[in-house]
């Protein structure tokens, strides 16, 4: 483990590089960008330098924000809480990410005229990297909002405030659904469900719709022009991002390993490519059975005399083979039965990518009040089933706010598991500050009984993705 001081130095180096590049017109292709466990690289599949002048980097709205206010190359194309905290210090909380529309904990009864006021108003953004997502309760929902207990005053019950991490705007061709709750891939919002038959046209359409929504909401602007939308989507879909160098293990594509973004850019994918549901569901169009060997990057390092390499290889093997008894997961156990024996890959099934290759909203309990991790900084939202009268409290109703379905409460997608080291904290609500805490979550939630060494191996592996 690296010391806190070293981690801080690396973060400062990253943001200094970022600030220098803010004035630059482009970033060299494959420029190694530092993060707490090594260097991340983005490969532009057009083989050109990364153009930093296009609409993705322009202020298209009225509040000074661009896509790159929340999706930065140095942070795996999202933001890390550490970088946002530094940005707050460097700009006294005046950088355009600090806007009350959705950057502050709540958008009313706050005072952003003083530094102290801003520090308090933007505390979830600087401590957890969270953006306030305000969504109206869908018409005809199967539930009624009984109460909202929001620590920051956003207690409205017709429009709910959720707090979510920006998702990486990279590696997008692997997506089987856009946004954590899939709301940009849903007929309810005028977008398209992503399917084997209609991909990639559906994805391109959804990303264009998403870019428009991002401009009108986050940037408080008029919709961008068709050409701006096309340029944004062309830009973000040409990016392939992965950790490339690990401080301890060295180059992640050396010695027979195949980490890094160039190999990732060549990774085959289609919707359902390795879906883990029984083939009778027909989610994998080829009908091929699920293969639990999800990651196949570091087998060559197994038993290496270098401790760091051996640990990463053990972590990968655990991801692929550790047996997990899956219980209480909405989206799996309500369909396949109360107890399903699986692995990490049951839910993270896309080969060498780790999202779900078929749209699969799941509730693993990250936003539940009894999550093994601290969620006390989040609102408590209480919903009642209009038919049965059943009552449920959660910190984020997830996909239910898109479909209105009771069964969808708390469901979100599993994100792509690449470029993780650059973008702490983790999970949709930032409740895991480190990858070690992600592992702690799984260890407790699914009673895995992992040894200290196994937990360290898994975290070391995740940091190399
Ligand atoms: C104020 C911060 C902010 C700004 C500005 C912003 N985004 Fe995002 N972005 C987010 C958040 C938060 C999410 C996830 C929200 C959710 O899933 O509910 C997200 C999600 C996305 C996703 C979905 C990725 C996936 O895996 O589903 C894409 C693509 C994206 N943003 C692109 C853009 C583009 C393009 C722009 C500029 C037009 C932009 N964003 C501007 C915060 C921001
Ligand atoms: C039952 C399904 C399931 C299993 C099993 C599972 N995951 Fe997840 N994973 C998810 C879902 C769903 C999310 C998104 C949860 C959220 O943000 O609320 C997620 C999120 C993550 C994230 C955070 C990604 C990010 O961008 O923040 C990591 C890392 C991760 N999982 C690793 C693992 C590892 C390692 C294992 C095995 C020990 C594992 N998962 C097992 C479903 C699962």
């Amino acid at each position: 483990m690296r010391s806190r001081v070293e981690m801080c130095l690396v973060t400062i180096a990253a943001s200094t590089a970022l600030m220098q590049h803010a004035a630059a017109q482009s970033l060299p292709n494959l420029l190694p960008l530092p993060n707490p466990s090594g260097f991340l690289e983005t490969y532009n599949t057009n083989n050109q330098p990364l153009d930093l002048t296009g609409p993705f980097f322009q202020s298209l709205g009225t509040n000074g924000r661009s896509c790159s206010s929340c999706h930065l190359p140095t942070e795996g194309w999202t933001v890390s809480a550490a970088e946002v905290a530094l940005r707050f210090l460097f700009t006294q909380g005046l950088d355009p990410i600090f806007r009350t529309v959705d950057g502050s904990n709540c958008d009313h009864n706050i005072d952003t005229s003083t530094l102290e006021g801003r520090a308090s108003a933007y505390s979830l953004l600087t401590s957890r990297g969270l953006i306030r997502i305000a969504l109206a309760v869908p018409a005809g929902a199967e539930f009624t909002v009984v109460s909202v207990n929001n620590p920051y005053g956003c207690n409205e019950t017709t429009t709910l405030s959720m707090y979510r991490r920006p998702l990486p705007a990279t590696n997008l061709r692997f997506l089987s659904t856009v946004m954590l709750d899939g709301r940009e891939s849903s007929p309810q919002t005028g977008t398209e469900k992503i399917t084997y038959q209609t991909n990639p046209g559906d994805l391109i359409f959804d990303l264009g719709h998403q870019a428009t929504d991002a401009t009108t909401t986050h940037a408080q602007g008029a919709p961008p022009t068709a050409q701006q939308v096309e340029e944004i989507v062309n830009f973000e879909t040409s990016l392939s991002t992965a950790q490339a160098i690990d401080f301890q293990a060295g180059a992640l594509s050396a010695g027979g390993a195949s980490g890094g973004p160039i190999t990732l850019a060549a990774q085959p994918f289609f919707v359902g490519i390795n879906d883990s549901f029984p083939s009778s569901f027909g989610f994998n169009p080829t009908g091929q059975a699920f293969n639990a060997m999800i990651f196949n990057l570091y087998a060559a390092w197994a038993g290496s005399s270098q401790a760091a390499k051996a640990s990463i290889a053990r972590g990968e093997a655990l991801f692929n083979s550790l047996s997990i008894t899956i219980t209480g997961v909405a989206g799996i156990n309500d369909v396949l039965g109360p107890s399903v024996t699986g692995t990490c890959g049951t839910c993270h099934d896309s080969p060498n990518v780790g999202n779900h290759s078929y749209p699969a909203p799941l509730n693993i309990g990250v936003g539940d009040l009894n999550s093994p991790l601290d969620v006390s900084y989040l609102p408590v939202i209480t919903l009642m089933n209009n038919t049965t009268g059943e009552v449920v409290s959660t910190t984020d109703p997830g996909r239910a706010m898109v479909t209105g379905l009771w069964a969808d409460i708390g469901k979100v997608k599993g994100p792509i598991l690449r470029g993780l080291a650059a973008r702490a904290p983790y999970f949709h609500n930032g409740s895991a500050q480190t990858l070690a805490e992600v592992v702690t979550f799984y260890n407790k939630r699914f009673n895995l009984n992992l040894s200290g060494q196994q937990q360290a191996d898994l975290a070391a592996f995740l940091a190399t993705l």
Side-chain angles (χ1 to χ4, degrees):
M1 277 311 275
R2 308 192 67 77
S3 73
R4 279 192 95 82
V5 176
E6 275 177 298
M7 292 196 5
C8 291
L9 285 176
V10 166
T11 313
I12 290 170
S15 45
T16 312
L18 165 81
M19 299 225 164
Q20 282 162 354
H21 290 302
Q25 303 287 297
S26 66
L27 279 187
N29 201 4
L30 294 168
L31 180 72
L33 294 164
N35 57 53
S37 63
F39 293 85
L40 183 86
E41 289 179 358
T42 291
Y43 174 53
N44 178 355
T45 52
N46 298 325
N47 247 313
Q48 300 290 318
L50 289 176
D51 178 11
L52 304 183
T53 65
F56 191 93
F57 299 90
Q58 295 165 9
S59 160
L60 300 178
T62 58
N63 61 15
R65 283 178 171 171
S66 69
C67 307
S68 64
S69 300
C70 301
H71 299 280
L72 285 162
T74 47
E75 315 296 305
W77 299 95
T78 159
V79 287
S80 66
E83 184 278 329
V84 177
L86 268 177
R87 219 190 305 180
F88 188 92
L89 286 179
F90 288 154
T91 67
Q92 307 250 301
L94 295 172
D95 179 272
I97 197 172
F98 305 111
R99 293 291 179 259
T100 57
V101 57
D102 60 6
S104 50
N105 303 344
C106 188
D107 59 349
H108 50 76
N109 296 335
I110 45 170
D111 175 12
T112 53
S113 66
T114 63
L115 181 61
E116 293 71 34
R118 290 193 290 280
S120 141
Y122 296 108
S123 65
L124 288 180
L125 187 48
T126 52
S127 62
R128 304 269 176 176
L130 293 173
I131 295 292
R132 189 176 65 89
I133 306 290
L135 296 177
V137 177
E142 292 180 346
F143 54 84
T144 305
V145 182
V146 178
S147 66
V148 175
N149 192 346
N150 181 308
Y152 317 98
C154 269
N155 285 311
E156 293 71 22
T157 51
T158 45
T159 294
L160 302 184
S161 289
M162 278 81 70
Y163 298 89
R164 297 187 187 158
R165 297 276 295 124
L167 286 161
T170 186
N171 301 323
L172 296 176
R173 79 183 166 94
F174 301 114
L175 292 186
S176 56
T177 193
V178 180
M179 310 308 263
L180 282 154
D181 53 15
R183 70 183 176 283
E184 294 285 1
S185 305
S186 300
Q188 291 90 344
T189 61
T191 48
E192 296 175 14
K193 187 171 155 61
I194 294 174
T195 69
Y196 174 75
Q197 287 79 13
T198 53
N199 201 247
D202 43 20
L203 173 68
I204 300 297
F205 176 85
D206 290 348
L207 290 174
H209 196 278
Q210 190 281 334
T212 303
D213 284 348
T215 306
T216 56
T217 59
H218 303 307
Q220 297 175 282
T225 65
Q227 185 179 345
Q228 286 170 327
V229 168
E230 190 183 333
E231 283 178 40
I232 289 173
V233 174
N234 282 347
F235 174 79
E236 59 187 7
T237 52
S238 68
L239 308 175
S240 170
T241 302
Q243 193 79 341
I245 299 160
D246 182 87
F247 283 133
Q248 293 175 41
L252 294 169
S253 51
S258 47
I262 299 184
T263 333
L264 179 59
Q267 177 66 40
F269 176 80
F270 55 83
V271 177
I273 184 167
N274 187 34
D275 186 79
S276 55
F277 271 47
S279 51
S280 55
F281 283 80
F283 294 158
N284 182 338
T286 67
Q288 204 157 23
F290 169 66
N291 179 352
M293 278 279 289
I294 307 300
F295 285 98
N296 177 19
L297 305 173
Y298 302 113
W301 288 0
S304 167
S305 57
Q306 274 177 270
K309 288 185 175 167
S311 166
I312 290 165
R314 284 195 304 268
E316 180 177 71
L318 279 171
F319 191 99
N320 291 336
S321 62
L322 175 75
S323 177
I324 302 179
T325 305
I326 301 171
T327 55
V329 174
I332 292 187
N333 298 111
D334 42 354
V335 184
L336 298 180
S339 175
V340 171
T341 303
T343 56
C344 300
T346 303
C347 308
H348 298 283
D349 65 16
S350 252
N352 290 321
V353 182
N355 60 330
H356 205 98
S357 61
Y358 187 85
L362 305 174
N363 181 3
I364 61 170
V366 167
D368 290 1
L369 302 188
N370 67 353
S371 162
L373 300 175
D374 176 23
V375 292
S376 63
Y377 56 92
L378 293 166
V380 177
I381 299 170
T382 302
L383 310 172
M384 186 184 72
N385 185 313
N386 293 338
T387 309
T388 65
E390 191 188 342
V391 171
V392 154
S393 290
T394 176
T395 59
D396 187 335
R399 187 149 172 80
M401 289 297 285
V402 181
T403 61
L405 297 178
W406 182 255
D408 282 347
I409 292 175
K411 289 183 184 172
V412 294
K413 73 168 176 179
I416 288 171
L417 301 183
R418 302 301 303 250
L420 287 166
R423 57 174 163 99
Y426 306 98
F427 292 136
H428 73 272
N429 56 18
S431 58
Q433 293 280 20
T434 59
L435 290 168
E437 282 189 16
V438 169
V439 175
T440 301
F441 171 88
Y442 285 109
N443 197 32
K444 292 189 177 162
R445 169 66 178 82
F446 295 105
N447 300 312
L448 299 180
N449 254 316
L450 294 171
S451 69
Q453 185 64 57
Q454 286 176 312
Q455 297 186 43
D457 292 345
L458 256 177
F461 162 66
L462 293 170
T464 65
L465 293 175

